[in-house]
Amino acid sequence: MFKIGCHLSASKGFLHMGEEIVSLGGNTFQYFSRNPRGGSVKALDMEDIEAFRAFAEENDIPCVLCHAPYTLNPCSKDEKTRDFAFRAMTEDLERMDLLPGNMYNFHPGSHVGQGTETGIGLIVELLNRVLRENLKTTVLLETMAGKGSEVGSRFEEIAQIIEKTDMGDKLGVCLDTCHVFDAGYDIVGDLDGVVSEFDRIIGLDRLKAIHLNDSKNPFESHKDRHEKIGEGSIGLEAVERIINHPALKELPFYLETPNELPGYKKEIELLKGLSK
Ligand code: FE
Ligand code: FE
Ligand code: ZN
């Protein structure tokens, strides 16, 4: 089954997101665990969770992806910021225990001048505090564009984080097509090469989700500005190869393109038409 969806607003709850994605023609969605910029979180509505679980089963929604807030920086220089990352992630994952078997994605963070090694050390430190044996969620590291001092724009960095984390078996990877292209992985000219490099360095068994975005900027620009599908420097032909690649086609794909709901609906329709 082709698993396709987009980023949705969580403000009206899970059942609403479920109904929304079905109305857009999709079967999975991503949402922010809390306001992406701010920190607070509203109480979970158990009735809504139960209603969503039933709805997801009836409508063949196989999984959902929760995205941590952008303000979460596990490798900040500032202890307060790192403490927020710890508290937010711990709380987000506790809440996700109510929807077992899903995925939680976060940005490895920006080391802000401390260097990649120190940054990786701080990320591992956080994960060692947050991950626990009875976790019901797979925690995904997102591949980054390498803007500023971002950690995670090289597969080697992601691999090191996974290797050094005590409970690394709880970790997976979400590959963002705009980010890897901006980071210098040529998914347009040599998709097979990038997939084998991912396999050699991280392992394809770790790849759990794809953020499907075109890029406003050229190859290796380290910029991270998403574009609508087929309207950027990645282009529709490359996107078609990505969604049909034997190593990728079974993964869930999430659009984070600059669209309102009607635009997402069109892109989902287009991608379903291209999926073989
Ligand atoms: Fe992201
Ligand atoms: Fe992304
Ligand atoms: Zn991005």
Side-chain angles (χ1 to χ4, degrees):
M1 177 177 64
F2 182 45
K3 302 182 193 84
I4 180 74
C6 62
H7 188 91
L8 295 177
S9 161
S11 63
K12 290 181 186 154
F14 282 96
L15 179 61
H16 186 267
M17 289 190 280
E19 289 169 345
E20 200 156 67
I21 200 62
V22 167
S23 79
L24 298 179
N27 52 12
T28 184
F29 58 86
Q30 173 178 269
Y31 64 98
F32 280 125
S33 61
R34 57 187 74 212
N35 183 318
R37 304 247 159 237
S40 69
V41 64
K42 64 172 188 181
L44 275 187
D45 177 348
M46 282 314 293
E47 235 173 86
D48 175 48
I49 300 261
E50 280 315 315
F52 171 70
R53 285 169 77 149
F55 182 87
E57 188 151 335
E58 276 162 38
N59 290 277
D60 295 318
I61 296 176
C63 57
V64 297
L65 175 57
C66 178
H67 196 305
Y70 287 145
T71 43
L72 193 150
N73 184 3
C75 59
S76 168
K77 232 179 179 156
D78 175 26
E79 208 184 313
K80 262 197 204 146
T81 307
R82 292 203 306 272
D83 189 54
F84 168 73
F86 169 71
R87 282 180 296 116
M89 221 189 225
T90 302
E91 191 181 51
D92 287 351
L93 289 170
E94 268 168 26
R95 291 157 65 94
M96 288 195 74
D97 277 348
L98 301 169
L99 279 175
N102 290 298
M103 302 168 291
Y104 179 76
N105 174 66
F106 76 104
H107 295 179
S110 296
H111 64 67
V112 278
Q114 304 174 96
T116 306
E117 279 307 299
T118 305
I120 289 175
L122 290 170
I123 297 161
V124 170
E125 206 177 294
L126 174 91
L127 289 169
N128 282 343
R129 289 172 71 199
V130 167
L131 300 180
R132 50 185 156 85
E133 211 47 73
N134 60 352
L135 202 67
K136 298 182 174 71
T137 303
T138 307
V139 176
L140 309 185
L141 294 142
E142 181 168 352
T143 60
M144 302 310 293
K147 181 176 50 147
S149 64
E150 273 174 356
V151 177
S153 66
R154 305 295 312 163
F155 294 164
E156 287 81 357
E157 295 169 12
I158 304 262
Q160 271 192 56
I161 296 169
I162 296 173
E163 274 159 31
K164 291 182 176 167
T165 299
D166 294 335
M167 270 181 251
D169 59 310
K170 306 281 181 199
L171 297 174
V173 178
C174 173
L175 185 143
D176 186 308
T177 55
C178 167
H179 296 176
V180 292
F181 186 70
D182 285 15
Y185 291 98
D186 190 7
I187 52 172
V188 176
D190 185 18
L191 180 61
D192 279 335
V194 175
V195 169
S196 349
E197 191 170 343
F198 187 101
D199 192 32
R200 185 166 51 81
I201 295 168
I202 302 176
L204 276 172
D205 55 325
R206 295 283 184 178
L207 186 55
K208 304 294 182 193
I210 306 273
H211 282 165
L212 192 63
N213 304 305
D214 210 323
S215 173
K216 278 196 200 298
N217 289 290
F219 181 61
E220 224 170 353
S221 59
H222 301 289
K223 280 286 204 310
D224 187 5
R225 297 218 27 227
H226 303 186
E227 182 53 283
K228 291 180 181 146
I229 295 301
E231 295 185 22
S233 47
I234 294 177
L236 194 57
E237 282 179 28
V239 166
E240 184 175 0
R241 287 194 292 271
I242 291 165
I243 62 170
N244 290 302
H245 192 284
L248 312 178
K249 59 184 295 189
E250 298 300 329
L251 296 168
F253 292 90
Y254 299 93
L255 297 162
E256 301 175 307
T257 44
N259 275 308
E260 301 294 329
L261 296 180
Y264 278 137
K265 188 174 183 176
K266 262 197 218 158
E267 288 187 349
I268 290 171
E269 218 171 298
L270 170 72
L271 293 163
K272 281 164 77 178
L274 293 175
S275 136
K276 287 164 196 151

